[in-house]
Amino acid sequence: TGNGSRAFAFDTATRNWTGEYTIESVAADGGTVGTTDLTLRALGLSVAVDDRNVTATERIDVRVSAADAGREIEVSLRDADGGVVDRRTRTLNGSGNSTVEFDAETGNYTIAATDAATGATAESDRIHVVESGSQDDTTESTGSSTTE
């Protein structure tokens, strides 16, 4: 940043832009002003839910991870219609991981994670919350989804 600096934007949503690149800055007269080597990596944002079948007295335990540390991630609990029920912001640790817990009433939910810097998202599989003591609270399973 600063005087004479340049900003470059890449739309990586339309194709796989990961890899090694050289950016060449060209002056108005056509001469090369400078070159910059750049490596683009996939963020690999993912959401994992420890147990997708929980009772209303249990918390929904969520793990969020990415291929980069220190990133700010918004994690939201969404109802069956996609409405945000609760929202938390986490910063990924040095290993690119973070955890969050949500309390929820009976119903069906998903967890969505959004990277604040890029807008990349990941969403969990459906989570089913039942009343404690219900016959549906005996199955344990996990689910996750990854978006590059």
Side-chain angles (χ1 to χ4, degrees):
T1 62
N3 191 21
S5 65
R6 307 268 180 180
F8 299 94
F10 298 91
D11 180 4
T12 59
T14 58
R15 59 169 68 155
N16 181 6
W17 281 85
T18 58
E20 306 270 333
Y21 296 90
T22 299
I23 298 172
E24 187 173 274
S25 299
V26 180
D29 65 6
T32 301
V33 175
T35 60
T36 301
D37 292 324
L38 175 70
T39 301
L40 295 178
R41 298 181 299 147
L43 179 57
L45 181 62
S46 66
V47 174
V49 177
D50 288 343
D51 188 351
R52 292 189 16 243
N53 294 292
V54 298
T55 66
T57 59
E58 299 174 304
R59 290 185 166 193
I60 300 170
D61 296 317
V62 181
R63 290 182 320 277
V64 179
S65 60
D68 195 14
R71 300 190 77 87
E72 187 173 288
I73 306 293
E74 180 183 278
V75 186
S76 58
L77 175 68
R78 298 184 178 198
D79 63 22
D81 296 323
V84 175
V85 175
D86 196 359
R87 174 179 311 171
R88 313 277 168 79
T89 300
R90 294 290 186 264
T91 300
L92 299 181
N93 66 20
S95 300
N97 299 302
S98 187
T99 59
V100 65
E101 295 177 332
F102 290 102
D103 293 317
E105 297 177 4
T106 59
N108 294 311
Y109 299 90
T110 57
I111 302 293
T114 304
D115 178 67
T118 65
T121 61
E123 188 171 306
S124 74
D125 292 331
R126 183 182 61 91
I127 303 158
H128 186 63
V129 179
V130 297
E131 286 294 331
S132 182
S134 167
Q135 64 188 23
D136 292 338
D137 69 1
T138 58
T139 305
E140 188 172 311
S141 61
T142 62
S144 66
S145 176
T146 301
T147 302
E148 300 285 325

